[in-house]
Amino acid sequence: MKKLLVTLFLLSNIANAQDAKNELFRLYKNGAYEDVCRLGFNNFASNSSDEEFVTIYAMGCLEADYIDRLAVPTTVLKFTEQSRANSSYFATILFQKKLLYYALMDGYDISNVSLPTTNYILSKVFDLYIKHHKDEKKRLYVFDDEKDKNIKYKLYLQEDIKTDKMIIEKIEDGVVTEQHIYW
Amino acid sequence: MLDVYELEQKHKSLALKRLKPFILLFVSIFIMLIVLFIFFINRQSNTISQVDTSAKQEIPQIKESLVTLTIQEKEQNATMQDTQEQEQVSQPTKEQKLELHPSLDFLDKVQISTIAEKPKQPIKQTQTKQEESAKIATPNDEIVVDSNSLAVKEVEQKQAPLVKQITPDVRINILKKDGDSELEDVIKRFKNNNNPSLSLFIAKKYYQMGNFDKAYDYALATNNINNNIEDSWIIFAKSLVKLDRKDEAMQTLQKYISYSKSQAARQLLEDIKIGKFK
């Protein structure tokens, strides 16, 4: 009887893990990135060995701008070529965010930093900041997109109670189409 | 009768005797660690002072040797320059950056009922809440809304490209303006380039101002250009409700929900049904 209960318990755990994974994939494909990040975070312990789960959780957090949550997936993803590529991708974005925040808050000089770039908006702004900020410490930076003249990126710090927030806005044709808040 | 108090005292003394060697050992180790720590710090400070004094003595010797070396180097450099210039011309400059991309091939193999991804949408600048970044994606079905009868048809799979026009490079001046003149600017720009982000912005502005007719018109225009913008459908339905066309609003939302599975649309439909949104 005890053995039966234990096996039932284990099977239910496996089923729950599979349900969580399916639900995560469904939410990701539906564009509910905050829900992906939240669900992934809550079920991470039981799915940490499943690299597909971890990757989607990290992508969801990335899209929802919870960049700091990429730290753990970066360390976990290492057993296949795809997961190592994704790990490098997340690590690059996390590092760029930290450096940019440091530079804006404390005036740290990152003009000689050379990192890979990614298609994520923070990477683009990071590259533009390194290229164009010209050793001036400002409250607000506006950069032109190198490929599309109608797109501009606004970078600034916003004061908050605990710590200042770094805000990136994408402006297309004079209208703010995206806003990303990091801290 | 046994004297309990005496027995307890004896027991305590015996227990202490047993622990004595351990206590002594612990205290001696602690003292040794402190001594080692102090010794180590003193040694470090001595080595630093020694390095400084020795470095000062070596500097004049190094200077003399450097002078002789520089003369020899100048002669060598003159011959090296020619060869180096030739090499630089042949080597390409490495300014191209490595670009990383995520690898999500496994996601295509997963067979789950999916919907089109959320498109880009203009957002309000809020200071307290994070807002999701959205992407433009290809819709599975295109919904065409007839403005006269609100008949919704399903058409073949089609991608609606945004019309972009190259405008001259204009600097952004961040100045506060009146709401109306700002809106007129945006309307002019929309008429030039038909950007659905602009028409959605206009629709939202008119809705905020209480001009539901115009909000409805611009939301409709947005849907005609790109029918996958969730916010546009929400404003469209809300405008219909405000114009006392509740049934049409609910019908539109139901059709939109059936192909998009949008949570926001579902929530709005529920609110309309129970009378929470009027």
Side-chain angles (χ1 to χ4, degrees):
Chain A
M1 187 63 186
K2 274 186 188 176
K3 282 183 186 175
L4 181 66
L5 283 170
V6 166
T7 48
L8 278 171
F9 178 70
L10 286 169
L11 281 170
S12 68
N13 277 347
I14 292 164
N16 283 340
Q18 194 58 35
D19 283 343
K21 186 176 175 178
N22 285 337
E23 180 63 15
L24 200 79
F25 280 31
R26 191 188 68 77
L27 287 170
Y28 184 80
K29 289 206 170 189
N30 288 351
Y33 302 118
E34 276 205 40
D35 293 337
V36 169
C37 192
R38 201 177 307 122
L39 182 69
F41 182 78
N42 291 336
N43 292 282
F44 189 82
S46 50
N47 292 283
S48 57
S49 55
D50 185 348
E51 290 195 328
E52 290 176 356
F53 182 96
V54 173
T55 303
I56 293 299
Y57 158 60
M59 286 300 299
C61 292
L62 178 67
E63 295 290 348
D65 297 337
Y66 291 111
I67 304 294
D68 287 350
R69 286 194 178 175
L70 299 179
V72 173
T74 302
T75 56
V76 165
L77 296 169
K78 54 187 160 193
F79 296 107
T80 63
E81 189 182 343
Q82 269 192 354
S83 56
R84 286 187 287 271
N86 293 334
S87 174
S88 306
Y89 177 77
F90 298 136
T92 303
I93 293 170
L94 179 60
F95 190 28
Q96 285 173 339
K97 179 219 159 184
K98 291 293 182 186
L99 279 175
L100 192 58
Y101 192 66
Y102 186 17
L104 288 177
M105 288 285 284
D106 304 306
Y108 185 68
D109 182 17
I110 58 171
S111 50
N112 293 323
V113 171
S114 177
L115 290 174
T117 191
T118 71
N119 54 1
Y120 186 61
I121 187 169
L122 189 137
S123 289
K124 290 180 192 171
V125 172
F126 180 86
D127 294 336
L128 290 167
Y129 177 86
I130 285 178
K131 213 172 172 181
H132 297 298
H133 85 287
K134 290 176 188 171
D135 294 329
E136 294 167 7
K137 194 174 177 184
K138 294 193 243 181
R139 293 291 302 172
L140 170 73
Y141 297 88
V142 181
F143 306 113
D144 294 333
D145 188 275
E146 287 174 340
K147 291 177 185 171
D148 191 340
K149 285 181 185 176
N150 291 332
I151 297 175
K152 293 183 193 293
Y153 300 101
K154 202 158 90 173
L155 170 69
Y156 59 97
L157 284 174
Q158 190 180 73
E159 287 178 6
D160 201 20
I161 300 163
K162 282 188 181 175
T163 181
D164 290 358
K165 296 192 172 153
M166 177 172 71
I167 300 182
I168 293 174
E169 288 174 355
K170 184 177 180 182
I171 300 165
E172 288 182 71
D173 234 359
V175 178
V176 175
T177 52
E178 288 177 26
Q179 187 184 62
H180 302 268
I181 303 174
Y182 309 102
W183 63 91
Chain B
M1 284 292 287
L2 293 169
D3 189 359
V4 176
Y5 180 73
E6 232 184 82
L7 284 169
E8 277 179 1
Q9 292 299 315
K10 273 188 182 175
H11 176 261
K12 275 184 190 173
S13 61
L14 280 169
L16 271 169
K17 275 185 187 172
R18 248 185 269 160
L19 285 173
K20 252 188 197 174
F22 295 107
I23 294 168
L24 280 169
L25 184 67
F26 177 74
V27 167
S28 58
I29 288 170
F30 186 68
I31 292 166
M32 267 170 61
L33 281 170
I34 291 169
V35 165
L36 278 168
F37 184 67
I38 293 164
F39 178 70
F40 182 69
I41 287 171
N42 281 340
R43 205 178 170 187
Q44 248 189 352
S45 58
N46 287 338
T47 51
I48 287 164
S49 58
Q50 280 173 10
V51 163
D52 285 340
T53 51
S54 62
K56 282 178 188 171
Q57 288 167 6
E58 283 174 4
I59 287 167
Q61 292 173 4
I62 291 166
K63 276 185 182 173
E64 287 172 8
S65 57
L66 275 174
V67 166
T68 52
L69 272 171
T70 48
I71 295 165
Q72 289 171 6
E73 275 178 3
K74 275 182 187 175
E75 291 168 6
Q76 285 176 3
N77 281 341
T79 54
M80 287 285 280
Q81 267 178 6
D82 290 334
T83 51
Q84 277 177 4
E85 278 171 6
Q86 286 173 8
E87 282 174 4
Q88 277 172 10
V89 167
S90 58
Q91 279 174 10
T93 54
K94 291 182 181 175
E95 288 180 359
Q96 288 178 352
K97 271 199 167 188
L98 171 68
E99 187 161 343
L100 298 174
H101 296 280
S103 180
L104 296 174
D105 297 336
F106 62 89
L107 204 61
D108 299 330
K109 296 171 193 170
V110 175
Q111 289 175 3
I112 294 168
S113 58
T114 62
I115 56 160
E117 292 174 18
K118 279 185 188 176
K120 272 188 272 186
Q121 47 194 344
I123 55 169
K124 292 175 190 173
Q125 293 181 14
T126 57
Q127 291 187 357
T128 53
K129 204 175 172 186
Q130 272 195 20
E131 296 187 79
E132 284 180 318
S133 61
K135 293 177 189 175
I136 292 174
T138 57
N140 289 326
D141 296 306
E142 187 183 291
I143 288 188
V144 173
V145 179
D146 185 3
S147 58
N148 293 326
S149 62
L150 270 180
V152 176
K153 298 176 187 175
E154 284 183 6
V155 198
E156 289 173 31
Q157 187 171 359
K158 190 181 175 184
Q159 192 172 9
L162 293 175
V163 175
K164 288 183 183 177
Q165 284 187 0
I166 297 167
T167 55
D169 192 7
V170 177
R171 270 200 162 184
I172 288 181
N173 290 323
I174 301 166
L175 298 169
K176 278 196 175 178
K177 289 183 179 179
D178 295 339
D180 289 340
S181 57
E182 186 189 76
L183 198 55
E184 279 167 19
D185 282 340
V186 180
I187 291 169
K188 272 183 202 171
R189 270 187 271 136
F190 170 64
K191 283 175 183 170
N192 280 335
N193 60 21
N194 274 344
N195 188 342
S197 308
L198 296 176
S199 56
L200 178 59
F201 177 80
I202 297 163
K204 283 184 177 179
K205 275 286 174 187
Y206 274 128
Y207 185 84
Q208 277 171 16
M209 285 155 56
N211 192 340
F212 303 117
D213 275 319
K214 290 210 170 174
Y216 166 84
D217 289 337
Y218 279 100
L220 181 65
T222 312
N223 292 335
N224 281 336
I225 298 168
N226 182 350
N227 60 11
N228 278 307
I229 303 175
E230 185 188 63
D231 273 6
S232 174
W233 285 104
I234 301 291
I235 291 286
F236 184 72
K238 282 184 175 177
S239 305
L240 281 170
V241 172
K242 294 289 184 187
L243 293 169
D244 283 331
R245 290 156 74 177
K246 193 173 156 183
D247 293 333
E248 291 172 17
M250 285 170 56
Q251 195 184 358
T252 311
L253 281 171
Q254 272 163 0
K255 290 278 181 185
Y256 179 64
I257 289 164
S258 66
Y259 99 96
S260 72
K261 308 281 187 286
S262 160
Q263 290 295 322
R266 199 168 282 150
Q267 188 62 48
L268 179 62
L269 182 64
E270 286 302 315
D271 289 346
I272 294 169
K273 277 181 185 171
I274 61 175
K276 201 174 170 186
F277 181 82
K278 294 176 191 175

